[in-house]
Amino acid sequence: MQIRIVHRISLILMCLCPVFMQAQDVPISQWLNNVMYQSPSWAGFTGKLRANAFYRNQWPMSNAELSYGGFFVDAPLTSKVGCSVGVVDEKNSLYNNIDISTAGSYLLAITRSVHISFGIKLGLSQTSLSVGELEFENPETVGQSTSPLRFDSGLGTSVVFNNWYAVLVADHLNRPYIGISEIESNRVNAKLTFGLSRIFYCETGFRKPQVSIIPNIFYQQQGIQQNLQLGIITQYRVIEIGFWGRKGFNNGQTNAIIGLGYNGLHSRLMYSYDANLCKKIKGNGGAHELSLTWLFDIEKEKKKKMIECPSFLH
């Protein structure tokens, strides 16, 4: 029994090492489907009430039991000002971290085809110890089980030029602590995010159905970790297919990602799977990710005129 417990703890620590020992955020593959999680500058950008939820199950075949989920709601207050609220819950065999945030954005029209939005995010997080099935002979020796509330902050800007869309985000600016103890190694590293995408429209086939092709690039740097993700999303009517590749330059991780989804007028749903191509990490089951977005029309007398928003921001 003791050997099983030691083995379980060892597996947990090895799997969580890239996340907790170096204080990194969990990577999200569907960054175009979760724009409110990525940057506060998109708040209210669609001109409608938008609700977005996502869930990621990382390494399901390991004992790490790492899952990551969030829910965001955003809406315009005026034609230039938007706001959002959101909650993100990160769970694993050792910790459960909950982050609640609010964001505000300001949209500036440079010309008819060039728009820039600025956003700021403020949040509170709290971590609790969750050891699952592990039992301690003297529980009082474990120490504190819940951390105090911790403040977090971030800034973001988005640029729209014709059919080009770019985003730049600086997150965890004050480097809050993660985990129970407030020691320097438990501070979250500041994160820099850059994303660029281009949407191409074409008409082809019977009755000329519209086809959209969206190549995109996504780069993140957090501490010593650097991740580069390249991919393309193709939409035929309401069906979407996505292919991505992600490379971690300092952790040795390489992933091939495929996604399949539905993109309707007022809703969007996509499932994706991350296949692990790294020979050093085997038998973890990759990662499953699901995202869902709803759009709700605002009453006509309160509806704010915003710039035309592409479907991938819904």
Side-chain angles (χ1 to χ4, degrees):
M1 181 65 179
Q2 291 179 345
I3 295 177
R4 290 180 60 188
I5 292 177
V6 172
H7 179 64
R8 181 180 174 87
I9 293 176
S10 299
L11 286 174
I12 291 171
L13 292 178
M14 285 189 293
C15 291
L16 296 180
C17 182
V19 178
F20 291 100
M21 297 304 290
Q22 299 180 21
Q24 310 297 316
D25 289 343
V26 177
I28 298 295
S29 298
Q30 299 181 38
W31 70 277
L32 283 180
N33 290 26
N34 301 290
V35 292
M36 277 310 308
Y37 168 74
Q38 298 295 354
S39 176
S41 57
W42 295 122
F45 204 87
T46 61
K48 299 180 180 181
L49 176 65
R50 172 174 52 184
N52 170 241
F54 69 89
Y55 174 77
R56 180 179 177 88
N57 186 1
Q58 185 98 3
W59 309 320
M61 295 179 64
S62 73
N63 287 328
E65 302 175 5
L66 178 59
S67 64
Y68 203 66
F71 181 76
F72 289 85
V73 176
D74 72 292
L77 298 180
T78 70
S79 60
K80 294 185 177 181
V81 178
C83 68
S84 74
V85 292
V87 58
V88 175
D89 186 17
E90 180 181 344
K91 294 181 179 180
N92 56 74
S93 298
L94 293 180
Y95 291 99
N96 181 27
N97 187 78
I98 296 179
D99 179 89
I100 300 175
S101 63
T102 182
S105 67
Y106 181 80
L107 178 65
L108 181 63
I110 306 300
T111 67
R112 291 176 61 89
S113 59
V114 180
H115 296 78
I116 301 177
S117 61
F118 304 92
I120 181 172
K121 182 184 75 172
L122 303 175
L124 292 173
S125 64
Q126 187 173 54
T127 305
S128 59
L129 187 63
S130 177
V131 294
E133 299 177 359
L134 299 180
E135 296 182 359
F136 297 88
E137 184 176 353
N138 299 309
E140 63 275 5
T141 63
V142 177
Q144 185 180 0
S145 60
T146 303
S147 73
L149 288 174
R150 292 156 178 166
F151 172 73
D152 197 4
S153 62
L155 297 173
T157 183
S158 303
V159 180
V160 178
F161 174 67
N162 290 333
N163 290 325
W164 288 92
Y165 300 84
V167 62
L168 180 64
V169 188
D171 211 353
H172 307 309
L173 294 176
N174 59 307
R175 297 195 60 207
Y177 292 97
I178 189 171
I180 301 300
S181 58
E182 295 190 351
I183 57 178
E184 187 64 23
S185 60
N186 282 351
R187 298 191 70 176
V188 178
N189 292 308
K191 180 173 66 176
L192 180 67
T193 301
F194 172 74
L196 179 66
S197 58
R198 171 72 158 89
I199 185 168
F200 296 92
Y201 298 100
C202 56
E203 294 182 348
T204 183
F206 181 67
R207 293 184 180 178
K208 296 183 178 181
Q210 182 170 275
V211 176
S212 301
I213 300 175
I214 311 170
N216 53 85
I217 180 173
F218 186 60
Y219 171 81
Q220 281 189 333
Q221 180 174 355
Q222 189 173 18
I224 65 172
Q225 299 298 333
Q226 300 179 59
N227 292 297
L228 178 65
Q229 182 171 303
L230 299 173
I232 187 169
I233 297 176
T234 301
Q235 179 180 353
Y236 175 75
R237 295 186 177 178
V238 297
I239 302 300
E240 284 188 328
I241 300 178
F243 299 94
W244 304 271
R246 183 171 61 242
K247 173 65 176 178
F249 292 99
N250 291 304
N251 57 16
Q253 292 189 4
T254 304
N255 298 93
I257 307 163
I258 184 171
L260 179 64
Y262 164 86
N263 192 343
L265 183 62
H266 295 285
S267 62
R268 184 176 186 177
L269 173 67
M270 177 170 277
Y271 164 80
S272 64
Y273 175 74
D274 294 32
N276 175 40
L277 303 182
C278 179
K279 296 181 180 180
K280 296 180 180 179
I281 304 176
K282 298 181 179 180
N284 58 30
H288 302 272
E289 189 170 315
L290 185 68
S291 66
L292 178 61
T293 302
W294 303 269
L295 286 179
F296 303 92
D297 290 324
I298 301 175
E299 297 179 8
K300 292 183 179 180
E301 62 271 21
K302 296 182 180 180
K303 190 173 183 178
K304 311 301 179 184
K305 185 178 180 181
M306 309 292 286
I307 69 171
E308 183 177 355
C309 183
S311 62
F312 72 80
L313 291 180
H314 290 177

